[in-house]
């Protein structure tokens, strides 16, 4: 993004301006995709998250300015998108550790998934 206009502050308490958001997001997205690749291909979380990450990476890569990327992504300022990407990476790694796609070790109690009770 050659046309990056430096902003002085985000206007959000405690959230500093990202120095190089395109690089930061590129690293986070590639790490997330590597974690997702270790999950079964048919696992719904993997499918949905891969789609989202690839879409956002494409926006970041092909948009001339950060402001345009923020608008296309539609999830707040780029600094907030970075926080979301960091949280998604943590979640993907946790799901890998939990192996959440495997069947339950024990049968679920009757009516566990029934709502309202």
């Amino acid at each position: 993004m050659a046309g990056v206009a430096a902003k002085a502050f985000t206007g959000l308490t405690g959230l500093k301006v990202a120095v190089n958001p395109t690089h930061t997001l590129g690293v986070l997205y590639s790490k997330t995709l590597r974690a997702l690749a270790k999950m079964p291909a048919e696992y719904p979380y993997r499918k949905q998250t891969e789609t989202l990450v690839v879409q956002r990476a494409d926006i970041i890569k092909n948009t001339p300015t950060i402001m345009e990327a923020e608008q296309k992504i539609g999830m707040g300022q780029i600094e907030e998108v970075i926080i979301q990407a960091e949280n998604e990476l943590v979640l993907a790694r946790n799901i890998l550790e939990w192996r959440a796609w495997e069947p339950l070790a024990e049968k679920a109690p009757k009516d566990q998934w029934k709502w309202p009770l």
Side-chain angles (χ1 to χ4, degrees):
M1 289 189 192
V4 176
K7 55 185 173 182
F9 56 91
T10 63
L12 300 169
T13 302
L15 188 58
K16 295 180 181 179
V17 174
V19 177
N20 191 352
T22 54
H23 174 73
T24 303
L25 284 170
V27 169
L28 290 168
Y29 289 154
S30 66
K31 287 181 179 182
T32 302
L33 289 173
R34 282 196 305 271
L36 293 171
K38 297 176 184 175
M39 298 177 191
E42 70 281 351
Y43 187 50
Y45 172 78
R46 175 184 173 170
K47 288 181 186 179
Q48 294 299 317
T49 307
E50 274 181 339
T51 301
L52 178 73
V53 168
V54 167
Q55 178 187 32
R56 287 187 179 183
D58 186 52
I59 289 170
I60 294 297
K61 195 182 302 181
N62 297 317
T63 306
T65 67
I66 294 293
M67 289 181 69
E68 286 180 46
E70 289 173 346
Q71 289 175 345
K72 287 182 180 181
I73 292 172
M75 295 302 293
Q77 294 183 47
I78 203 71
E79 291 80 6
E80 294 172 289
V81 175
I82 290 170
I83 291 171
Q84 294 164 13
E86 291 168 342
N87 291 339
E88 197 66 59
L89 176 59
V90 169
L91 178 60
R93 288 177 173 169
N94 283 339
I95 287 176
L96 266 177
E97 181 183 332
W98 299 331
R99 303 184 65 77
W101 56 87
E102 292 182 351
L104 296 174
E106 299 175 7
K107 186 175 179 180
K110 185 178 184 239
D111 294 332
Q112 177 173 342
W113 311 115
K114 183 179 177 186
W115 181 260
L117 297 176

